[in-house]
Amino acid sequence: MSMSIKQQLAAELGQAAGAALGVVPGDFQWQVTAANDPRFGDYQTNAAMLLAKVLRRNPRELATVIAGACEGLPACARVEVAGPGFVNFHLSDQWLGARLLGQQADPRLGVAAVPEPRRVVVDFSAPNVAKPMHVGHIRSTIIGDCLARVARFVGHEVITDNHIGDWGTQFGMILLGWKQSLDAARLETDPIAELLRIYREVNEHAKSDQAVLQACRDELVKLQAGDEENLAIWRRCVDLSLRQLREIYATLGVGFDHFLGESFYNDRLQPLVEDLLSSGLAEVSDGAVCVFFRDVPELADKPCLIRKQDGGYLYATTDLATIDHRISEWRADDIWYVVGAPQQLHFQQVFEVARRRGARAQMVHVAHGSILGQDRKLMKTRSGDNVGLREVLEEAVERARGVIDGKNPGLPEAEKAEVASIIGIGAVKYAELSQHRMTDYVFHWDRMLSLQGNTAPYLQYSYVRVRSIFRKLDDPGAELAAAVAAAPALADPAERVLALQLQRFAEVVPEVLDGFTPNALALYLHELARAFHSFFEACPVLKSDGPTRAGRLLLCDLTARVLRQGLDLLGIEVVERM
RNA sequence: GCACCCGUAGUUCAACGGAUAGAACGUCGGUUUCCGGAACCGAAGAUGAAGGUUCGAUUCCUUCCGGGUGUACCA
């Protein structure tokens, strides 16, 4: 079982200092964090200040005792007391070098597997069928995919499920439009565009014409009652839509274990509502069936509706049935919903109802902010001028292609196309993942497709630069074998900074799941790339020799692997040349 | 009304309750020893307001200001 520096230091610190101090509460958590300023050493603990409070003793005195107890640890070259009671650890170069060897030999690059794997269902993306995906869908899709990748990597059993909107009331309008004004030829060439067109047309009419609205409802009721004609049309819509959706997911490199849409749960809704009624959790109010939360103050006036007056079901109903399925069939321990922040109340209600029915799974709404239009207003689905996701991706690849043509015209044509795709898609994904998920932002092409600064191409470029070193070696295998024969000395400050940063990978990856923050990983990788570039400027590899060269090659190999693995966790690929 | 989210450099974003609030873009100034300059080094520049909690607050609590979202039969 590998431990991060943080964990190992905390464990050794607790043992050494606990013994030296004598009286420490049994449940005290010895915390160690990476120092944020080199002057404060490499790692630090504020345990003395926390203990001072419980033990009612002077924090500096405690810090002195702690520091003294840690002096002899093999990890520490120097331990200092500073400020109001910080204990700063300066790690031993030798110890750090030895850890690098361990990391190099580890296929997991030092990241520990979770001791108790859980079965986690990740629910994300969830587009509606018969509508094109627009930029707004990118967040759920990419954040969800990243969280699933990270959860898998640290050892959880992950099930990804795309809960597509394949049964909503929008089908009333689509059915009517299909029957009245479908352009069959256009349906062949661009099905989703045609479905969107008829939907919009009917929607427009329905706004001003009650009769049209009623006709839509009638079509929907027929569909829900199992009318053969409507069911056939519906199936065809779903089929055509799924085909196009899968294309986009293939482009994005996002995969799902299941596509269990809303319709999958149709015949479970009635029993579910009856069960809730008979158990007394739900009641009839104004002809609708709802669950009241009279004992929860903030929900007291916000009941959860699970059946309409007209007998129709709502999406809370479907979501409850979905939870049942995920727990009973999949034995889910955790369910993560990567869905926009506006749905907060909905999930609060649904989770509450599920808990009252005895659901034991940990259910989390991993909320994210919105993408705003140029007018700083929410990009509404029906505003008509959403930017299509496909268009964004195409433009991204095109821009990347332009840069490649300029920078590396000699690249073979096939490789150019491949690289442009990886760079372009990577840039779009990274733009999303590198910021906190709750942040709203205004959509700008340049922002999303930027290839400069803190972007995926910067990280990919770092990878390319490392790899190009290995291409220049006569015998990379032999050189690397020699490099891992001894721990690197880390004599140059830039080497040491890079080494510390490489080691932090083990700390950062698990933390992504603590607060569902892919941006923490993105930030880390950016810092790693910067540390590498600085090292690259300061420390020649190929022109060095002996142990220096061996140590630098080791750092290069680890940098390449951590970058590739880290980017992979973000869902971003690397290339060998660009 | 009630609930939730967000106010940080000119701009876009960071920061488990920790020390002098970090980056990126843009601006200004550097890098002919160099393995890919899509790079590196440096400079200027910010926590909406007021209280409170404490050794210590961008972070937690209260109030206010400003923006957004949601709130019984759409999803």
Side-chain angles (χ1 to χ4, degrees):
Chain A
M1 168 62 64
S2 57
M3 271 179 147
S4 65
I5 290 183
K6 206 182 203 173
Q7 288 172 319
Q8 186 164 353
L9 221 44
E12 292 181 5
L13 160 74
Q15 202 142 43
L21 287 168
V23 283
V24 176
D27 59 345
F28 185 75
Q29 296 284 314
W30 291 90
Q31 296 269 349
V32 174
T33 57
N36 54 13
D37 187 321
R39 287 178 308 119
F40 302 139
D42 303 314
Y43 281 79
Q44 62 178 231
T45 181
N46 53 21
M49 291 176 288
L50 300 175
L51 278 173
K53 203 169 295 185
V54 260
L55 301 179
R56 305 200 180 169
R57 290 180 51 188
N58 181 302
R60 293 253 341 173
E61 268 172 36
L62 292 175
T64 307
V65 175
I66 292 171
C70 295
E71 285 286 359
L73 295 178
C76 302
R78 209 163 80 247
V79 187
E80 296 168 337
V81 176
F86 291 103
V87 177
N88 295 335
F89 301 100
H90 298 258
L91 299 181
S92 139
D93 292 350
Q94 200 185 353
W95 185 81
L96 186 57
R99 282 196 63 105
L100 281 185
L101 285 184
Q103 188 178 16
Q104 206 283 337
D106 182 2
R108 303 176 53 83
L109 296 165
V111 179
V114 289
E116 293 172 6
R118 296 172 67 89
R119 184 164 295 179
V120 182
V121 174
V122 189
D123 178 322
F124 64 100
S125 199
N128 284 328
V129 300
K131 287 183 189 171
M133 288 179 87
H134 60 89
V135 285
H137 291 113
I138 232 178
R139 307 201 77 173
S140 170
T141 305
I142 287 170
I143 294 169
D145 181 54
C146 171
L147 293 175
R149 286 168 184 262
V150 174
R152 276 203 179 103
F153 185 68
V154 301
H156 293 299
E157 266 185 78
V158 175
I159 299 174
T160 51
D161 185 14
N162 196 345
H163 193 70
I164 54 176
D166 62 359
W167 193 255
T169 42
Q170 79 263 28
F171 276 104
M173 297 193 182
I174 290 172
L175 284 163
L176 190 66
W178 183 290
K179 292 176 180 179
Q180 288 181 344
S181 66
L182 184 73
D183 180 336
R186 226 181 137 216
L187 188 70
E188 286 303 315
T189 53
D190 194 349
I192 289 187
E194 174 60 9
L195 292 175
L196 182 67
R197 185 191 67 78
I198 62 176
Y199 169 81
R200 279 189 180 151
E201 190 179 285
V202 174
N203 189 36
E204 202 48 47
H205 292 164
K207 274 180 191 164
S208 54
D209 190 340
Q210 286 293 319
V212 174
L213 193 60
Q214 190 54 48
C216 292
R217 287 188 184 137
D218 293 343
E219 293 293 350
L220 185 65
V221 169
K222 274 168 72 182
L223 173 69
Q224 288 171 340
D227 176 81
E228 275 309 324
E229 185 193 6
N230 281 12
L231 269 178
I233 295 172
W234 167 75
R235 271 192 214 105
R236 187 137 166 70
C237 286
V238 173
D239 194 52
L240 289 166
S241 297
L242 269 179
R243 206 175 300 165
Q244 283 201 330
L245 286 176
R246 286 185 201 273
E247 272 174 37
I248 290 215
Y249 289 130
T251 307
L252 283 172
V254 171
F256 293 92
D257 299 317
H258 300 279
F259 278 80
L260 294 188
E262 293 166 342
S263 66
F264 178 78
Y265 302 94
N266 280 346
D267 50 10
R268 303 163 193 238
L269 304 181
Q270 188 187 335
L272 175 83
V273 171
E274 279 165 10
D275 181 53
L276 278 160
L277 276 170
S278 63
S279 68
L281 285 173
E283 60 196 84
V284 178
S285 168
D286 282 349
V289 178
C290 21
V291 178
F292 285 92
F293 311 101
R294 299 195 174 87
D295 52 335
V296 183
E298 59 270 28
L299 290 178
D301 60 340
K302 295 180 173 63
C304 178
L305 267 72
I306 54 175
R307 192 169 71 200
K308 301 192 281 185
Q309 279 180 334
D310 66 8
Y313 300 103
L314 296 111
Y315 88 135
T317 331
T318 321
D319 277 358
L320 286 167
T322 306
I323 290 171
D324 281 355
H325 182 257
R326 288 172 178 169
I327 293 177
S328 64
E329 299 298 312
W330 292 346
R331 308 251 163 243
D333 298 312
D334 301 78
I335 309 176
W336 300 341
Y337 293 85
V338 186
V339 180
Q343 311 235 21
Q344 183 259 137
L345 176 61
H346 165 73
F347 285 110
Q348 206 181 344
Q349 293 176 324
V350 168
F351 295 168
E352 187 58 36
V353 176
R355 276 192 290 269
R356 289 179 185 207
R357 313 183 65 227
R360 289 183 349 271
Q362 282 281 330
M363 294 168 280
V364 184
H365 176 203
V366 181
H368 59 76
S370 308
I371 298 183
L372 309 179
Q374 302 290 339
D375 55 359
R376 295 204 149 260
K377 297 262 195 176
L378 202 61
M379 276 186 149
K380 287 275 186 191
T381 317
R382 287 163 200 177
S383 66
D385 42 7
N386 281 333
V387 183
L389 179 51
R390 179 195 299 227
E391 286 70 46
V392 170
L393 298 180
E394 281 169 2
E395 169 115 15
V397 173
E398 228 168 86
R399 288 188 187 209
R401 174 59 193 249
V403 177
I404 293 161
D405 282 334
K407 302 268 185 189
N408 203 348
L411 223 52
E413 177 56 35
E415 194 173 342
K416 272 187 186 173
E418 162 98 15
V419 169
S421 170
I422 289 173
I423 304 281
I425 304 287
V428 171
K429 286 190 171 186
Y430 190 86
E432 291 291 333
L433 292 170
S434 61
Q435 68 186 340
H436 189 96
R437 61 184 161 81
M438 282 309 294
T439 306
D440 285 346
Y441 68 87
V442 176
F443 176 83
H444 285 302
W445 282 101
D446 288 342
R447 184 192 166 285
M448 185 167 281
L449 306 183
S450 171
L451 304 178
Q452 290 186 336
N454 181 9
T455 64
Y458 177 80
L459 307 186
Q460 289 161 324
Y461 176 62
S462 315
Y463 180 80
V464 165
R465 287 181 97 179
V466 199
R467 297 297 301 156
S468 89
I469 288 177
F470 285 92
R471 275 200 299 275
K472 293 204 159 66
L473 296 176
D474 291 331
D475 188 347
E479 288 238 36
L480 201 55
V484 299
L490 305 175
D492 193 288
E495 293 177 300
R496 204 168 179 287
V497 170
L498 181 57
L500 278 166
Q501 187 65 12
L502 286 166
Q503 282 281 298
R504 289 203 54 219
F505 189 59
E507 298 166 10
V508 170
V509 171
E511 283 169 4
V512 169
L513 299 182
D514 289 347
F516 303 101
T517 49
N519 64 310
L521 178 54
L523 176 72
Y524 164 80
L525 291 174
H526 181 242
E527 281 171 356
L528 174 61
R530 293 202 320 130
F532 170 73
H533 280 299
S534 296
F535 157 83
F536 193 86
E537 295 286 327
C539 305
V541 178
L542 297 177
K543 293 198 170 174
S544 60
D545 54 17
T548 303
R549 177 184 172 106
R552 289 178 181 175
L553 277 173
L554 177 72
L555 286 168
C556 286
D557 178 62
L558 261 176
T559 300
R561 287 165 61 200
V562 170
L563 277 174
R564 186 173 55 203
Q565 181 66 65
L567 283 168
D568 181 72
L569 292 175
L570 294 179
I572 296 171
E573 293 179 72
V574 292
V575 293
E576 295 297 317
R577 300 185 292 180
M578 62 194 271

